[in-house]
Amino acid sequence: MAAIIKTAEEIEKMRVAGKLAADVLGMIEPYVKKGVTTDELNQICHDYIVNEQQCIPAPLNYGHPPFPKSICTSVNHVICHGIPADKKLKDGDCINIDVTIIKDGYHGDTSKMFVVGKPSIMAERLIRITQECLYKGIRMVKPGARLGDIGHVIQQHAEGHNYSIVREYCGHGIGVGFHEEPQVVHYGRPDTGEVLEAGMCFTIEPMVNAGKRHSKIMPDQWTVVTKDRSLSAQWEHTLLVTANGCEILTLRPEETIERIIEH
Ligand code: MF3
Ligand code: CO
Ligand code: CO
């Protein structure tokens, strides 16, 4: 089964959903401080998504077992799918907040890294290189390019800095479905994999570890951690393939990369 090509009407709905997801990350930023619990961050996001945005938080009750919260909060060696809990954030903690909202039937999915207080040099570097991996992947997106081209530049950049790429989780097509085809892996070889076409929407969301790439799932069946307990970072955007490049549907005002990339 191949990727769904979105119509002009669907693309407009994806733009709206993408902007709303991005807005949640902007809204939560001032609350990501020492002493706050990830549960409190979840509650603030949930209330904002439901009451202010009139959207549905896609993670809530998603999957099996049903995900119990409205956002994912992945702290330090947690790679992804961290479940908000009553543990307080402390100085130096690195946290990925992953927001997915549904508006008018369409999903917007995005995540960013926050650091509590002053980041260590090590954490700052991992977080920066991981965002560069995302941006390098985004710059490959245009009709005729192939998924392997995206994976390749991401893998090269991460491994070139002696980091590793998580293999078990990947980006994905997105639209009416949270996780549509295709799977967008963050490693690979140029000139391989599905060919991109205008009208496709998918995420790129590299997970980069400071140590080895291997992961394990905790007994809660959601929380994914690095096997060697090394620090892990992730950034995610939802993209639209345009006639000559791509549009970043979840771009935030603080970002310096262009919303519309033309080749
Ligand atoms: N937002 C995640 C992604 O980028 C998926 C989270 S699934 C959940 O694909 F159930 F954990 F929320
Ligand atoms: Co995603
Ligand atoms: Co996500």
Side-chain angles (χ1 to χ4, degrees), residues 59 62 67 72 81 98 100 109 172 178-179 205 222 236:
Y62 178 78
F67 192 81
C72 297
H81 304 165
D98 192 337
T100 313
D109 186 8
H172 49 91
F178 191 164
H179 296 107
E205 47 183 297
W222 275 107
E236 174 175 26

Side-chain angles (χ1 to χ4, degrees), residues 36-47:
V36 77
T37 68
T38 48
D39 239 346
E40 288 165 347
L41 296 175
N42 174 72
Q43 196 59 55
I44 296 163
C45 288
H46 177 92
D47 292 346

Side-chain angles (χ1 to χ4, degrees), residues 170-185:
C170 58
H172 49 91
I174 183 166
V176 170
F178 191 164
H179 296 107
E180 297 181 352
E181 300 229 358
Q183 294 198 30
V184 180
V185 302

Side-chain angles (χ1 to χ4, degrees), residues 130-195:
T130 305
Q131 188 177 39
E132 289 171 7
C133 284
L134 171 60
Y135 287 170
K136 282 177 185 286
I138 289 173
R139 292 196 182 283
M140 299 308 293
V141 176
K142 63 176 180 186
R146 303 179 69 169
L147 288 176
D149 301 333
I150 300 171
H152 180 71
V153 294
I154 293 171
Q155 182 179 16
Q156 285 288 114
H157 193 58
E159 292 180 357
H161 289 83
N162 272 325
Y163 296 143
S164 64
I165 293 285
V166 174
R167 306 269 178 120
E168 295 88 349
Y169 305 89
C170 58
H172 49 91
I174 183 166
V176 170
F178 191 164
H179 296 107
E180 297 181 352
E181 300 229 358
Q183 294 198 30
V184 180
V185 302
H186 305 108
Y187 58 90
R189 282 171 293 116
D191 247 340
T192 64
E194 189 166 337
V195 178

